[in-house]
């Protein structure tokens, strides 16, 4: 009995501490307000304000990378990237904070704020490197929904024309 209780407590603590819960069969994940992990060596790539939850007030959308890449010695404004760094995407809404993404990316990522419907904006996070993944985050009343709209397997070819 004691072992069952300990197992139940362990499972409850693990699942209860997560800020993400899958809400339906489409794989839409619900992201709740919660603590944001703080990294020591970080570079803030983006810090923009936009209304992404439709309440008429702008939220701060912050994109960090850790460890901070070194600047290129010969090309100002360019960075020397590692094989994998932690990318963190956070929305701050007053005293509420939502960690939309906090994980390693092998390659680079891009942040977009897009208008989907009448005055409703969404955060789009694209990861590209060894695979291609496109996630959309939509602000709801008190939480964010995450939908992975595309997730490739290993990429075979990627054009580098810019």
């Amino acid at each position: 009995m004691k072992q069952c209780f300990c197992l139940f407590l362990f499972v409850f603590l693990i699942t209860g501490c997560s800020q993400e819960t899958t809400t339906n069969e489409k794989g839409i994940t619900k992201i709740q307000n919660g603590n944001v992990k703080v990294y020591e060596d970080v570079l803030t790539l983006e810090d923009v304000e936009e209304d992404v939850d439709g309440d008429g007030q702008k939220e701060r959308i912050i994109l960090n990378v850790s460890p901070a890449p070194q600047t290129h010695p010969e090309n100002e404004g360019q960075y020397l990237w590692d094989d994998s760094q932690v990318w963190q995407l956070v929305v701050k809404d007053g005293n509420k904070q939502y960690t939309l993404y906090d994980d390693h990316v092998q390659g680079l990522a891009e942040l977009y704020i897009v208008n989907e419907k009448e005055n409703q904006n969404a955060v789009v996070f694209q990861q590209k490197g060894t695979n291609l993944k496109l996630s959309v985050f939509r602000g709801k009343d008190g939480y964010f929904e995450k939908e992975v709209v595309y997730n490739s397997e290993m990429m075979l070819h990627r054009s580098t024309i810019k």
Side-chain angles (χ1 to χ4, degrees):
M1 179 70 174
K2 190 176 184 180
Q3 290 174 337
C4 289
F5 177 74
C6 289
L7 180 63
F8 171 77
L9 184 60
F10 177 74
V11 171
F12 177 75
L13 288 173
I14 295 297
T15 58
C17 292
S18 176
Q19 295 177 27
E20 292 190 9
T21 55
T22 302
T23 59
N24 64 25
E25 66 280 351
K26 284 187 166 185
I28 293 179
T29 305
K30 190 182 220 181
I31 301 170
Q32 302 286 349
N33 172 41
N35 293 331
V36 173
K37 186 173 181 179
V38 177
Y39 295 96
E40 289 184 27
D41 184 19
V42 68
L43 173 66
T44 299
L45 299 174
E46 295 280 347
D47 189 343
V48 296
E49 292 187 359
E50 196 63 54
D51 181 13
V52 290
D53 62 5
D55 66 355
Q57 303 293 319
K58 291 185 177 185
E59 291 75 39
R60 280 182 66 200
I61 300 99
I62 302 163
L63 180 61
N64 294 320
V65 67
S66 178
Q70 300 296 315
T71 55
H72 195 289
E74 297 171 7
N75 296 327
E76 188 177 324
Q78 291 188 359
Y79 298 99
L80 302 173
W81 297 96
D82 289 339
D83 289 340
S84 176
Q85 287 162 301
V86 174
W87 290 67
Q88 182 185 56
L89 180 58
V90 176
V91 173
K92 293 187 177 187
D93 184 8
N95 60 355
K96 296 178 182 176
Q97 301 182 106
Y98 304 90
T99 303
L100 304 185
Y101 187 86
D102 190 341
D103 204 352
H104 286 269
V105 172
Q106 290 185 328
L108 299 174
E110 294 181 13
L111 168 69
Y112 304 91
I113 310 295
V114 298
N115 187 281
E116 288 193 315
K117 301 175 187 165
E118 298 175 16
N119 299 322
Q120 182 63 37
N121 298 325
V123 177
V124 176
F125 188 60
Q126 178 185 24
Q127 301 166 47
K128 52 188 179 179
T130 58
N131 69 337
L132 180 62
K133 183 175 182 180
L134 191 64
S135 303
V136 179
F137 302 91
R138 294 176 183 92
K140 300 295 180 180
D141 188 23
Y143 64 95
F144 277 81
E145 284 185 349
K146 171 187 173 183
E147 179 183 8
V148 176
V149 294
Y150 185 78
N151 191 9
S152 74
E153 296 294 325
M154 186 65 76
M155 232 187 286
L156 301 177
H157 176 77
R158 180 178 136 203
S159 173
T160 57
I161 299 170
K162 296 182 182 185

